[in-house]
């Protein structure tokens, strides 16, 4: 695994999102300085088919779009990235995540400072920024883009996967030796990315709970030996929800789910999501306890909102 400073990868979830607003260049720069091995980019598309870094297809949970463009919401009351050109998105302020109905912050202890000049970056801008940091610091952090709701994007006239792969290829993330993992929840899109679009880099199949009706992905089946074997034919790793990997008892004992050993058996890397210092798993007492359990479970990294705390907690090599 290239672009790693250690065997256990610290993957900055939306950047250093536990400290500053997610998916801003500030969050990525802070995560880079904290020693993260990979910086995550959730990617959605604009109306003029630019790839931008934002967690959702919606704008109204992390920006002031309702204030600046009050008449641009759809009939469901939501504001969609794909209804705006890139130039319009550049006028928006990025804020700490909040509930779009109540306006209250999702994480009350985080950076709820209000507007402070943060903007939505395009995928190209963010990669250029990270590669510049790699050059100036001499420390090579990788990128970890996620293609968000590709089927929905196609229904709205945009092939997001094709756009993202084009950007990755232009910036040198073309093969499995480059510092990039490309991830997606949609199992059919993961296959399409490899087989139809011919992407040569590393792919990760994300795994949630139950069944995703939008894409038809059956996450329970993907955790079976049959599903993992099929995944290993096109992907290099899986990204399961953390509670699907580990479970703490009320006595602090940790259980590792059986499918983790199966995934390792078929050669898949395992990068669970998401470890948060301010929202630890039930019955887990500290970031250190969580990291130790993850390492002992044999996974190769963790997505985290607090990359500095995870980096400090990684056990020293024996």
């Amino acid at each position: 695994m290239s672009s790693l400073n250690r065997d256990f990868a610290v993957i900055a979830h939306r950047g250093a999102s536990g400290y500053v607003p997610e998916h801003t260049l500030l969050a990525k720069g802070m995560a880079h300085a904290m020693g993260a091995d990979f910086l995550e980019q959730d990617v959605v598309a604009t109306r003029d088919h630019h790839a931008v870094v934002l967690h959702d297809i919606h704008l109204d949970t992390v920006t002031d779009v309702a204030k600046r463009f009050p008449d641009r919401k759809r009939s469901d009351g939501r504001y969609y990235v794909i209804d705006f050109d890139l130039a319009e998105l550049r006028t928006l302020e990025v804020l700490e995540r909040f509930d779009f109905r109540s306006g209250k912050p999702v994480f009350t202890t985080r950076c709820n400072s209000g507007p402070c000049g943060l903007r939505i970056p395009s995928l190209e801008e963010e990669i250029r920024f990270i590669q510049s940091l790699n050059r100036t610091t001499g420390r090579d952090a990788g990128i970890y883009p996620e293609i968000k709701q590709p089927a929905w994007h196609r229904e709205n006239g945009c092939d997001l996967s094709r756009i993202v792969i084009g950007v990755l290829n232009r910036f040198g993330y073309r093969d499995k030796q480059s510092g990039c993992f490309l991830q997606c929840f949609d199992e059919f899109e993961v296959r399409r990315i490899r087989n139809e679009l011919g992407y040569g880099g590393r792919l990760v199949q994300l795994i949630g709970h139950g069944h995703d009706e939008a894409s038809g992905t059956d996450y329970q089946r993907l955790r079976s030996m049959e599903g993992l074997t099929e995944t290993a034919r096109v992907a290099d790793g899986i990204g399961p929800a953390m509670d699907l990997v580990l479970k703490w008892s009320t006595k602090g004992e940790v259980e590792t789910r059986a499918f983790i050993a199966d995934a390792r058996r078929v050669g898949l890397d395992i990068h669970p999501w998401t470890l948060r210092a301010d929202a630890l798993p039930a019955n887990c007492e500290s970031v250190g306890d969580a990291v130790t359990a993850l390492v002992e479970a044999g996974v190769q990294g963790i997505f985290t909102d607090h990359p500095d705390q995870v980096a400090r907690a990684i056990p020293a090599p024996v």
Side-chain angles (χ1 to χ4, degrees):
M1 190 184 294
S2 65
S3 296
L4 283 184
N5 301 315
R6 52 193 147 241
D7 293 331
F8 183 87
V10 178
I11 307 163
H13 182 244
R14 312 180 202 175
S17 57
Y19 302 102
V20 294
E22 65 186 55
H23 279 322
T24 57
L25 294 186
L26 175 62
K28 303 305 167 64
M30 180 177 281
H32 193 287
M34 288 175 169
D37 299 295
F38 287 87
L39 311 177
E40 185 197 30
Q41 299 77 34
D42 292 309
V43 185
V44 294
T46 66
R47 182 168 58 186
D48 47 352
H49 292 192
H50 289 278
V52 294
V53 181
L54 203 75
H55 181 258
D56 300 311
I57 59 174
H58 302 113
L59 287 160
D60 45 21
T61 56
V62 289
T63 76
D64 60 350
V65 64
K67 175 182 177 182
R68 293 182 183 265
F69 296 97
D71 299 326
R72 297 282 290 278
K73 59 189 174 186
R74 291 192 181 186
S75 58
D76 61 0
R78 304 301 303 272
Y79 294 82
Y80 289 77
V81 178
I82 205 164
D83 293 337
F84 293 80
D85 293 336
L86 179 61
E88 293 175 318
L89 294 185
R90 293 191 193 283
T91 69
L92 302 179
E93 290 264 5
V94 178
L95 309 168
E96 181 63 38
R97 178 168 289 275
F98 58 92
D99 185 299
F100 76 94
R101 297 180 185 86
S102 68
K104 295 181 179 179
V106 173
F107 293 95
T108 57
T109 60
R110 294 191 180 182
C111 182
N112 296 298
S113 62
C116 51
L118 301 175
R119 306 295 177 187
I120 299 171
S122 71
L123 180 60
E124 292 191 10
E125 290 166 342
E126 178 152 319
I127 292 176
R128 195 175 296 115
F129 177 65
I130 292 168
Q131 291 188 344
S132 179
L133 288 176
N134 287 346
R135 287 192 299 271
T136 57
T137 64
R139 199 187 67 79
D140 191 19
I143 64 171
Y144 212 125
E146 179 188 340
I147 295 174
K148 305 293 289 192
Q149 298 194 36
W152 182 90
H153 275 90
R154 284 199 299 277
E155 290 171 2
N156 281 266
C158 179
D159 190 342
L160 179 59
S161 294
R162 193 178 296 275
I163 293 169
V164 171
I165 290 170
V167 174
L168 295 181
N169 286 338
R170 286 199 300 276
F171 280 90
Y173 301 105
R174 302 184 185 91
D175 55 42
K176 297 187 180 185
Q177 287 68 52
S178 62
C180 176
F181 285 93
L182 180 59
Q183 57 180 337
C184 189
F185 276 102
D186 184 334
E187 67 170 309
F188 305 101
E189 193 71 9
V190 170
R191 294 176 200 161
R192 176 176 179 257
I193 288 168
R194 182 69 82 208
N195 297 329
E196 179 184 332
L197 301 182
Y199 181 60
R202 289 174 290 188
L203 279 174
V204 170
Q205 172 67 60
L206 293 168
I207 298 178
H209 299 81
H211 186 275
D212 179 27
E213 293 184 4
S215 69
T217 301
D218 184 346
Y219 298 123
Q220 185 170 347
R221 191 190 73 83
L222 286 179
R223 297 196 302 273
S224 70
M225 194 63 194
E226 177 188 14
L228 292 167
T229 301
E230 289 179 6
T231 297
R233 295 192 185 109
V234 293
D236 303 274
I238 57 171
M242 190 170 166
D243 64 343
L244 294 174
V245 177
L246 298 174
K247 181 180 179 180
W248 277 262
S249 72
T250 55
K251 298 179 180 179
E253 299 168 339
V254 188
E255 173 193 350
T256 301
R257 309 293 190 176
F259 83 95
I260 296 302
D262 292 337
R264 295 175 63 189
R265 194 171 295 118
V266 297
L268 290 166
D269 284 348
I270 306 156
H271 294 163
W273 48 273
T274 302
L275 178 56
R276 298 180 169 100
D278 51 1
L280 290 167
N283 302 313
C284 176
E285 294 187 355
S286 69
V287 169
D289 287 348
V291 171
T292 297
L294 288 162
V295 171
E296 290 178 351
V299 307
Q300 286 75 38
I302 183 66
F303 284 81
T304 178
D305 292 5
H306 300 86
D308 57 332
Q309 296 187 47
V310 170
R312 289 196 299 268
I314 297 173
V318 178

